[in-house]
């Protein structure tokens, strides 16, 4: 019994689904942010798995792409934290269903 | 990847990663959810090692399990009067349906497609090759990433500066 590309892709699909559910359904802003990070992780895992298994002239390009994704994820997390602080300062909550100033 | 060690390591790490990701959904306390999320990040780093991606695995531990989880801890600690429960909004059922559908679709396509598998085996040490690629072929995205990080840092500082701070 050997482990191949499909195993990693299925793990990535499960991680992505979990992250998508967290990002869509969680009430707390930090919970939503955790979901986004899980989706980043699933995409990165898929990149590295393709880089390892699939025929390519430059197989390490997948690793370089993952490094860039991690960089952008770090920038995104810093800005998201700042936005959460701003919302908290104005509204005293970071619950997604209570941030409804734009709702008519 | 046929040897028994790699197979056992894959199944253990996959179970750890997916299990703690599901735990983030299930646990009712935000701090505990965060600890499970860090476990999931470390599991993904282990999966990178089984894919012989040593540099990416170390970057994963340093940046995800280190920096980003610290940022999330800050986000929880700096909002002390917000609720700490990990509850769902009224969108729980449609979100569950959509997430299940997306995961099923990706998994189904992954299993059905006939991927062009290369029999080249694992990589050796990848850090030097990645470093050369970053400063040779990918030097423009590399520089743009540094600008992006600078802009994100300045933006975060400007956003959270208390109102009324004197401009200097």
């Amino acid at each position: 019994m050997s482990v191949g590309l499909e195993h990693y892709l299925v793990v990535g699909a499960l991680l992505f689904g979990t992250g998508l559910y967290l990002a869509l359904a969680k009430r707390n802003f930090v919970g939503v942010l955790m979901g986004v990070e899980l989706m980043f992780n699933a995409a990165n895992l898929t990149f590295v798995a393709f880089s390892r298994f699939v025929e390519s002239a430059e197989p390490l390009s997948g690793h370089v792409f993952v490094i860039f994704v991690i960089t952008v994820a770090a920038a995104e997390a810093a800005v998201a934290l700042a936005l959460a602080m701003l919302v908290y300062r104005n509204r005293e909550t970071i619950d997604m269903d209570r941030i409804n100033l734009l709702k008519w | 990847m046929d040897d028994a060690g790699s197979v056992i390591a894959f199944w253990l790490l996959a179970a750890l990663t997916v299990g703690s990701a599901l735990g983030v959904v299930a646990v009712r306390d935000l701090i505990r959810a965060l600890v499970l999320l860090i476990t999931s990040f470390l599991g993904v780093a282990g999966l990178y090692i089984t894919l012989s991606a040593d540099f990416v695995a170390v970057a994963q531990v340093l940046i995800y399990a280190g920096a980003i989880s610290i940022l999330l801890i800050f986000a929880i600690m700096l909002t002390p009067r917000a609720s700490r429960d990990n509850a769902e909004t009224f969108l729980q059922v449609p979100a569950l349906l959509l997430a299940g559908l997306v995961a099923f679709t990706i998994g189904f396509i992954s299993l059905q497609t006939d991927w062009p598998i290369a029999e080249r085996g694992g990589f050796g040490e990848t850090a030097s090759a990645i470093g050369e690629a970053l400063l040779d072929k990918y030097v423009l995205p590399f520089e743009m990433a540094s600008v992006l990080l600078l802009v994100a840092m300045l933006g975060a500082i400007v956003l959270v500066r208390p109102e009324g701070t004197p401009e200097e």
Side-chain angles (χ1 to χ4, degrees):
Chain A
M1 175 154 183
S2 69
V3 174
L5 174 63
E6 286 84 1
H7 295 78
Y8 288 95
L9 294 185
V10 169
V11 171
L14 290 175
L15 270 188
F16 191 88
T18 316
L20 185 63
Y21 172 76
L22 281 169
L24 288 176
K26 283 299 174 190
R27 176 178 290 160
N28 195 298
F29 182 80
V30 181
V32 174
L33 212 56
M34 290 181 192
V36 175
E37 303 299 343
L38 268 185
M39 285 195 279
F40 274 124
N41 265 294
N44 286 347
L45 183 63
T46 312
F47 270 125
V48 176
F50 275 124
S51 174
R52 162 74 174 75
F53 285 110
V54 172
E55 192 69 59
S56 162
E58 295 176 65
L60 276 177
S61 297
H63 290 200
V64 176
F65 211 111
V66 168
I67 300 296
F68 284 123
V69 172
I70 291 178
T71 312
V72 174
E76 172 260 349
V79 175
L81 167 66
L83 290 177
M85 288 304 303
L86 264 189
V87 171
Y88 177 74
R89 198 178 289 158
N90 289 315
R91 305 276 293 170
E92 291 259 320
T93 180
I94 50 172
D95 284 354
M96 302 302 278
D97 50 356
R98 290 172 64 196
I99 308 171
N100 51 7
L101 283 173
L102 281 175
K103 198 175 177 182
W104 52 279
Chain B
M1 294 173 49
D2 292 328
D3 55 309
S6 308
V7 175
I8 295 171
F10 168 79
W11 286 108
L12 284 180
L13 288 166
L16 175 76
T17 307
V18 177
S20 33
L22 292 175
V24 176
V25 175
V27 164
R28 294 290 85 178
D29 181 80
L30 210 53
I31 302 282
R32 288 182 187 166
L34 187 57
V35 173
L36 281 172
L37 187 77
I38 296 173
T39 317
S40 185
F41 287 162
L42 292 175
V44 173
L47 285 175
Y48 289 156
I49 290 175
T50 65
L51 287 165
S52 71
D54 50 356
F55 184 74
V56 176
V58 173
Q60 167 87 7
V61 172
L62 280 179
I63 299 176
Y64 269 108
I68 289 181
S69 42
I70 295 293
L71 273 178
L72 291 174
I73 290 174
F74 270 134
I76 296 173
M77 295 296 176
L78 289 174
T79 54
R81 281 191 293 279
S83 67
R84 290 279 174 81
D85 69 328
N86 197 17
E88 276 87 359
T89 60
F90 62 96
L91 288 172
Q92 182 172 13
V93 174
L96 193 60
L97 286 176
L98 182 65
L101 193 67
V102 168
F104 175 77
T105 310
I106 299 176
F108 184 74
I109 293 174
S110 317
L111 292 177
Q112 289 298 312
T113 311
D114 191 20
W115 303 105
I117 299 294
E119 297 295 341
R120 79 173 98 76
F123 299 112
E125 176 259 344
T126 62
S128 62
I130 290 176
E132 277 171 26
L134 277 178
L135 287 178
D136 180 22
K137 188 179 175 188
Y138 299 99
V139 66
L140 185 62
F142 182 70
E143 297 295 335
M144 282 167 67
S146 61
V147 175
L148 173 78
L149 282 176
L150 177 69
V151 169
M153 187 178 71
L154 287 177
I157 292 171
V158 169
L159 279 178
V160 297
R161 191 174 55 182
E163 285 172 39
T165 306
E167 308 257 346
E168 303 200 40

